[in-house]
């Protein structure tokens, strides 16, 4: 086991290093993305439970960008729970999952078409961030430059 120290082996020249660039959210639009991480946990308020999803954009200029999403699956507010459970059903269907879900790993690494939105902090305290709106199967869309256009045309 190595010992910890307060001394670096090599000097870290702060003048020669780049800092972290300002974060810019993805432009609103439709993208192909896969779920690369899915976990469930309690809400900070203690009033329910949410599925936390990490989406990775596939293709185009934004290849590899991550989008974080929270889907409420249990809540003391029936209305909040209804919207979250509807969204989780859309996600499951877009991933091709038709059976009951107990293990969220069944959602991993499956391409979906996601509508990315830009959310503004109502108080102006935090910078804009991305969120996931509608989720559909990739087959329901047409791919163009990493972005997708929803094809809602009825073929009759």
């Amino acid at each position: 086991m190595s010992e910890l120290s307060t001394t670096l082996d090599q000097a870290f020249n702060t003048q020669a290093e780049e800092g972290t660039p300002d974060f810019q959210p993805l432009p609103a639009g439709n993208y192909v993305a896969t779920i690369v991480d899915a976990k469930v946990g309690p809400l900070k308020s203690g009033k329910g439970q949410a599925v936390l999803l990490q989406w990775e954009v596939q293709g185009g200029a934004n290849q590899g960008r991550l989008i974080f999403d929270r889907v409420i699956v249990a809540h003391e507010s029936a209305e909040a729970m209804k919207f979250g459970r509807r969204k989780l059903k859309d996600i499951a269907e877009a991933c091709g999952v038709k059976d009951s879900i107990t293990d969220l790993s069944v959602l991993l690494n499956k391409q979906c078409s996601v509508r990315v939105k830009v959310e503004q902090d109502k108080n102006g305290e935090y910078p804009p961030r991305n969120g996931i709106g509608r989720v559909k199967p990739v087959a329901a869309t047409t791919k163009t430059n990493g972005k997708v256009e929803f094809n809602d045309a009825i073929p009759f």
Side-chain angles (χ1 to χ4, degrees):
M1 187 166 156
S2 66
E3 291 185 35
L4 298 178
S5 169
T6 59
T7 307
L8 296 172
D9 289 341
Q10 294 179 357
F12 182 85
N13 184 349
T14 57
Q15 296 298 317
E17 298 293 335
E18 281 186 42
T20 304
D22 286 337
F23 172 78
Q24 293 298 318
L26 290 171
N30 301 314
Y31 297 85
V32 173
T34 58
I35 298 171
V36 294
D37 193 26
K39 293 187 176 17
V40 64
L43 296 173
K44 288 180 186 176
S45 66
K47 297 181 179 185
Q49 190 177 51
V51 171
L52 305 172
L53 301 172
Q54 185 175 325
W55 295 85
E56 183 177 324
V57 174
Q58 304 297 310
N62 295 300
Q63 168 78 30
R65 288 282 303 267
L66 299 175
I67 306 163
F68 301 90
D69 195 21
R70 180 183 71 150
V71 181
I72 295 173
V73 292
H75 199 276
E76 60 185 42
S77 163
E79 196 71 11
M81 189 167 71
K82 177 176 80 172
F83 287 117
R85 292 177 79 82
R86 283 180 179 173
K87 185 173 182 180
L88 186 58
K89 177 181 172 68
D90 289 346
I91 293 167
E93 287 183 346
C95 290
V97 177
K98 305 286 186 204
D99 299 326
S100 294
I101 299 173
T102 54
D103 182 354
L104 295 173
S105 68
V106 299
L107 303 175
L108 298 178
N109 304 313
K110 298 194 174 112
Q111 286 194 342
C112 300
S113 296
V114 297
R115 185 173 307 261
V116 173
K117 55 189 177 180
V118 178
E119 299 171 342
Q120 303 288 334
D121 177 29
K122 295 174 189 168
N123 300 324
E125 185 177 342
Y126 299 104
R129 67 181 202 106
N130 287 126
I132 299 289
R134 191 74 193 262
V135 179
K136 292 186 176 186
V138 173
T141 61
T142 308
K143 235 192 238 191
T144 47
N145 295 335
K147 283 192 168 188
V148 292
E149 298 300 324
F150 285 102
N151 181 359
D152 291 332
I154 300 172
F156 55 85

